[in-house]
Amino acid sequence: MRIGQGYDVHRLEAGRKLILGGVAVPYEKGLLGHSDADVLLHALMDALLGAAGLGDIGSHFPDTDPQYAGASSLLLLIRVGQKLRDAGYVLVNADVTLLAQAPKIVPYRQAMAENIAVALGVELDQINVKATTEEGLGFTGDGSGMAAHAIVLVEKKK
């Protein structure tokens, strides 16, 4: 078994859609990035790639490559899941945490977890999505950005 940890951060900006866990969340701002800037899925992809010793999302999907401009992170997650399987690993479980003052994601958590499970071809109970505020502290607390942490456990296929 191997553990992977991922972290990502993006600035919030007016005029962008907010996509989290592959779900369009109604909010006055969205995350700024080359792709759809889904901070939750970016952290998860880094954790998965790290657990399998496959580098990071920047090496697989560089922000200098125009083919990834506006790309769906959910589609990129499907590709990461395939890379994981090609390397001989299966996901045991994933736990992802969004750090954001707003909006509240409780109404969207189930859909996010379902999106992740489907994209990775695993059972829903292998995925956990949660969020926390930072009590108004830092860039996530003042609403200028969002961050996410992810931790995964993978197992080498026998």
Side-chain angles (χ1 to χ4, degrees):
M1 294 208 182
R2 296 174 69 157
I3 295 171
Q5 181 270 333
Y7 173 77
D8 195 40
V9 60
H10 285 275
R11 177 182 309 279
L12 280 162
E13 185 171 286
R16 296 260 312 177
K17 280 187 178 180
L18 179 59
I19 308 295
L20 296 169
V23 175
V25 176
Y27 193 56
E28 69 239 16
K29 297 177 183 177
L31 294 166
L32 182 61
H34 184 66
S35 66
D36 64 6
D38 189 329
V39 70
L40 202 68
L41 295 186
H42 290 188
L44 176 58
M45 287 186 277
D46 265 345
L48 291 165
L49 291 166
L54 298 173
D56 60 21
I57 61 172
S59 61
H60 292 273
F61 314 110
D63 63 5
T64 55
D65 190 333
Q67 73 175 311
Y68 302 118
S72 164
S73 295
L74 208 48
L75 293 177
L76 299 180
L77 179 61
I78 291 169
R79 291 176 60 183
V80 167
Q82 187 59 56
K83 290 175 186 293
L84 195 74
R85 288 186 295 279
D86 290 347
Y89 291 96
V90 294
L91 178 67
V92 175
N93 74 301
D95 187 31
V96 293
T97 305
L98 177 70
L99 291 79
Q101 197 65 34
K104 299 294 183 195
I105 68 158
V106 170
Y108 311 100
R109 276 189 355 199
Q110 181 74 16
M112 292 175 190
E114 289 170 1
N115 283 345
I116 293 167
V118 168
L120 294 174
V122 299
E123 298 297 318
L124 185 57
D125 68 356
Q126 292 173 263
I127 308 299
N128 188 60
V129 176
K130 58 190 185 292
T132 187
T133 66
E134 292 194 292
E135 305 299 328
L137 300 173
F139 70 92
T140 58
D142 72 13
S144 60
M146 291 183 178
H149 291 277
I151 189 163
V152 300
L153 182 63
V154 299
E155 186 174 29
K156 191 78 166 175
K157 289 186 247 178
K158 296 179 172 119

